[in-house]
Amino acid sequence: MRKIMLVAAVFLASFAPAVDAHAAQAATVVSPKRPLNVRAGSAVWTAQVRTLPHGAAVSIDCQVKGQLINQGSVRVTDQWDRLTDGSYVSDAWIRRPAAAIPACGPAAPVAPAAVAAAAAVTTTTGTVASGGTPLKARTAPVHTAPLIAALPNGTQLTLVCQQRGENIAGSQRVTPMWDRLPEGTYVSDAYVRRTATPPPCTAANQPVAAAAAPSTGGDWTSPLPGFRARPGFRTANNPNHIGVDIMSFTGTPIHAASAGTVLEVVCNIEAGHSCDQAGSASIGGCGWYVKLQHEGGISTLYCHMVRKALVQPGQKVKAGQVIGYVGSSGNSSAPHLHYEVHINAPPTGPQNAIDPLPFMRTHGAEIG
Ligand SMILES: [Zn+2]
């Protein structure tokens, strides 16, 4: 009963040697709404090395399996295309000839020079060096500011800029400087291993959206009124658990936590299993789930529904509207709702998940 986990698999593609003998395949970026992010690995939480405009021509070397992307313009896929300079784009946004692209060869632990060079131009990267305790990402450069995320030791970071704040003595240095992450949160530079110093924070590199602004507007409500979530966001035992679990009964109505638009209605489960029956702790995936997009770049995710949601992608929902029913599909050993909150979405991933308990409390909808 206690072993309920959402598997948030991290597919960090290693870099492969550029010795493949086959010819690169020409293809085209199909991303009419915004530029396509080119990344250092095969998931959206790996470093962004540059962007490509809609219609850009790309040259694909090979493919690797990575994060499933189901919002692409061309296809739903977990395949990522490695470009000839060693960087990656999701194949979900790529129009190309039907011919299969070969799988990338065995990985080698050497970053292609092109990626390293491209990354150096736009951003500084670093690694959390906190020893055992996760490094806290906060809304301001001081330890009393609200906690947004706890980043495990070894987490790769993109450092946008540095800002003066509280002096901290850490594993790497004693410093009053804090590093701002792309989500707009701050981590003490005292615990960040890095080779270059990020630029100072100025008006020019302000975040697009404030980090987890306490008031994003709109009304919030518990997704499962009458039932309590237990703390469980990124615990020591389960650092990849990026939501909280609310134990309940099969068939209990699940409510939209706030007004928004349905982004996804998906069965996410390991091949060979069905979302239409109870899962187990040994099956991967969050089962039947719904993802909603709300104002202010907030996304919420509702997993393990007993059957396909009542709502459709693109549909507008009101706060409190019933969107589906509690079940135990996917990686679940008892009926419950796995609930996630993401900031600066879309996209959503481990990099922008925040603890739903303080978030909901701040928004007047206590769930703990
Ligand atoms: Zn869970």
Side-chain angles (χ1 to χ4, degrees):
M1 291 287 286
R2 298 217 139 251
K3 231 194 137 199
I4 295 161
M5 305 177 280
L6 173 75
V7 175
V10 178
F11 298 102
L12 287 177
S14 310
F15 297 102
V19 292
D20 297 332
H22 64 86
Q25 188 170 106
T28 309
V29 172
V30 182
S31 183
K33 286 190 184 159
R34 57 185 172 178
L36 178 63
N37 290 320
V38 181
R39 300 198 176 269
S42 60
V44 298
W45 50 86
T46 63
Q48 178 190 321
V49 295
R50 64 178 185 282
T51 60
L52 286 167
H54 175 57
V58 291
S59 207
I60 302 170
D61 237 355
C62 57
Q63 283 190 329
V64 295
K65 186 177 162 76
Q67 183 191 10
L68 176 73
I69 300 296
N70 46 22
Q71 291 171 246
S73 56
V74 179
R75 61 186 72 81
V76 173
T77 181
D78 61 3
Q79 294 298 309
W80 286 64
D81 301 321
R82 197 179 74 198
L83 307 183
T84 43
D85 69 350
S87 59
Y88 293 83
V89 292
S90 165
D91 194 47
W93 301 93
I94 299 297
R95 182 182 300 133
R96 52 178 174 74
I101 295 175
C104 296
V110 182
V115 171
V121 171
T122 50
T123 56
T124 310
T125 55
T127 308
V128 173
S130 61
T133 321
L135 179 61
K136 312 288 195 304
R138 301 186 180 276
T139 58
V142 53
H143 87 276
T144 49
L147 173 67
I148 298 298
L151 306 167
N153 190 42
T155 302
Q156 301 287 316
L157 302 172
T158 298
L159 311 173
V160 177
C161 59
Q162 279 196 332
Q163 185 160 323
R164 183 171 291 272
E166 183 182 0
N167 196 51
I168 303 286
S171 63
Q172 301 301 299
R173 58 193 75 83
V174 177
T175 178
M177 302 312 287
W178 288 58
D179 300 318
R180 199 175 71 213
L181 308 182
E183 308 87 76
T185 57
Y186 295 86
V187 294
S188 167
D189 190 49
Y191 289 100
V192 177
R193 187 182 301 125
R194 53 176 176 71
T195 49
T197 306
C201 293
T202 63
N205 51 25
Q206 281 305 303
V208 200
S215 55
T216 49
D219 291 320
W220 288 76
T221 183
S222 169
L224 221 51
F227 295 88
R228 303 229 140 177
R230 54 189 185 198
F233 179 81
R234 282 205 175 109
T235 58
N237 285 341
N238 198 356
N240 292 329
H241 191 247
I242 57 170
V244 290
D245 296 326
I246 309 175
M247 305 307 298
S248 184
F249 305 102
T250 299
T252 306
I254 298 169
H255 303 259
S258 188
T261 306
V262 179
L263 268 190
E264 296 174 21
V265 174
V266 173
C267 165
N268 174 259
I269 199 162
E270 225 174 280
H273 297 274
S274 163
C275 282
D276 289 314
Q277 59 192 57
S280 80
S282 61
I283 300 176
C286 87
W288 278 121
Y289 78 84
V290 166
K291 187 191 289 179
L292 300 181
Q293 183 68 37
H294 311 285
E295 271 183 3
I298 308 289
S299 271
T300 53
L301 204 76
Y302 310 78
C303 292
H304 311 305
M305 290 180 174
V306 67
R307 56 178 178 270
K308 193 174 182 179
L310 301 171
V311 291
Q312 316 278 340
Q315 185 179 335
K316 305 271 184 217
V317 295
K318 296 179 181 145
Q321 182 172 336
V322 175
I323 56 174
Y325 298 99
V326 169
S328 194
S329 56
N331 180 230
S332 168
S333 52
H336 76 288
L337 170 66
H338 170 97
Y339 177 58
E340 294 179 12
V341 177
H342 297 259
I343 59 170
N344 293 330
T348 62
Q351 83 287 356
N352 60 351
I354 61 171
D355 189 342
L357 291 181
F359 175 88
M360 295 299 283
R361 191 174 305 129
T362 316
H363 287 75
E366 176 72 55
I367 60 170

